[in-house]
């Protein structure tokens, strides 16, 4: 059976579509007790952060000088939707060109996770249509220009599971731990940058991070399911 990098591009695109569908099913099915941990902790943390949103915002906003501004600018660019789309496309192209299964698989998983992350993030922003802290921070409901969920935090957290479990799956455990530590640090930097720049409150960042983590894990689970379903066909081929 050909490896993922030997498949025709149209087959990879069909696999991406399957990943999107299976990821969606995993997101809407009743979660297990363990699966409640992330959304449960996120809901608790978001509630506490909302109650203290202005004291926390005052603590983070604008402190640190020029260096902090440069870091925040880099985090804004690095965790944008355009950046994650470009990274996914680059991984797909490079993986197919260099015949690296891990790159191709990671690109497809990122695509599936990103699609659902965008849907959930935009839905959250529509419902929790809060103004940015720099714009007054008024809490509103159901408005097109809401910012109650941090998209940048969602994008940063989205990358954790696909990179850890798909791209870095064949690396030695010490290296994988370093990769995970770097990704967690990146999520923290992005979260801080959104609060420092007055773009989001802490609770917005918590919700965005939770959405990214959940959709990333769901997409990795979908990829594993498809790999298991396709195993008999590989053996027979």
């Amino acid at each position: 059976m050909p490896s993922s990098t030997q498949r025709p591009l149209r087959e990879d695109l069909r696999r991406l579509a399957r990943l999107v569908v299976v990821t969606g099913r995993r997101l809407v099915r009743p979660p297990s007790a363990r699966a409640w941990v992330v959304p449960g902790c996120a809901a608790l943390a978001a509630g506490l952060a909302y109650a203290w949103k202005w004291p926390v915002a005052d603590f983070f906003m604008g402190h640190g000088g020029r260096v902090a501004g440069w870091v925040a600018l880099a985090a804004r660019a690095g965790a944008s939707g355009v950046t994650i789309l470009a990274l996914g496309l680059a991984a797909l192209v490079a993986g197919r060109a260099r015949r690296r299964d891990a790159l191709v698989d990671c690109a497809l998983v990122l695509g599936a996770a990103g699609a659902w992350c965008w849907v959930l993030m935009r839905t959250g922003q529509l419902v929790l249509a809060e103004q940015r802290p720099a714009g007054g921070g008024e809490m509103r409901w159901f408005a097109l220009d809401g910012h109650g969920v941090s998209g940048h935090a969602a994008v940063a957290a989205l990358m954790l599971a696909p990179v850890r479990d798909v791209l870095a799956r064949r690396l030695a455990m010490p290296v994988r731990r370093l990769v995970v530590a770097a990704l967690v640090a990146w999520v923290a930097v992005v979260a801080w940058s959104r609060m420092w720049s007055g773009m989001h409150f802490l609770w917005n960042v918590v919700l965005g991070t939770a959405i990214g983590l959940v959709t990333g894990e769901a997409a990795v689970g979908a990829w594993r399911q498809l790999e298991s379903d396709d195993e008999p066909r590989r053996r027979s081929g």
Side-chain angles (χ1 to χ4, degrees):
M1 180 69 185
S3 68
S4 63
T5 52
Q6 294 173 311
R7 293 190 302 252
L9 179 59
R10 63 179 178 274
E11 188 171 338
D12 278 335
L13 295 178
R14 284 197 295 267
R15 189 172 181 81
L16 173 60
R18 291 172 64 197
L19 278 170
V20 171
V21 172
V22 177
T23 300
R25 290 173 180 168
R26 296 181 72 89
L27 287 170
V28 300
R29 74 182 185 183
S32 63
R34 181 181 178 183
W36 276 109
V37 172
V38 171
C41 290
L44 177 61
L48 293 174
Y50 180 79
W52 291 83
K53 68 178 189 178
W54 277 115
V56 175
D58 291 339
F59 177 80
F60 282 104
M61 199 183 305
H63 300 297
R66 184 178 300 178
V67 174
W70 291 341
V71 174
L73 184 62
R76 177 183 178 183
S80 70
V82 173
T83 300
I84 194 67
L85 178 61
L87 284 174
L89 290 174
L92 179 62
V93 172
R96 292 186 61 83
R98 298 179 62 84
R99 305 173 74 84
R100 299 292 178 86
D101 290 2
L103 275 173
V104 174
D105 290 340
C106 186
L108 299 180
V109 173
L110 280 174
W116 284 108
C117 183
W118 184 85
V119 170
L120 295 177
M121 180 267 295
R122 292 300 297 170
T123 301
Q125 291 179 341
L126 173 67
V127 176
L128 305 172
E130 186 178 45
Q131 290 184 335
R132 298 190 186 278
E138 178 188 357
M139 186 62 199
R140 301 169 300 165
W141 301 92
F142 296 99
L144 294 177
D145 59 342
H147 304 285
V149 177
S150 172
H152 284 75
V155 167
L158 165 74
M159 298 178 63
L160 180 59
V163 172
R164 179 194 64 204
D165 296 332
V166 182
L167 181 61
R169 66 184 184 270
R170 296 191 182 104
L171 297 180
M173 187 55 67
V175 179
R176 289 187 68 192
R177 288 172 179 163
L178 288 176
V179 170
V180 171
L183 289 170
V184 170
W186 173 241
V187 173
V189 169
V190 172
W192 162 83
S193 73
R194 304 311 288 165
M195 294 184 288
W196 182 89
S197 57
M199 295 293 101
H200 288 290
F201 293 104
L202 175 59
W203 79 283
N204 310 144
V205 171
V206 170
L207 290 179
T209 301
I211 288 174
L213 291 175
V214 168
T215 51
E217 291 285 354
V220 168
W223 171 74
R224 287 173 172 157
Q225 180 178 332
L226 293 186
E227 287 286 296
S228 178
D229 292 346
D230 292 344
E231 185 62 26
R233 184 161 59 93
R234 291 195 186 95
R235 290 179 178 177
S236 62

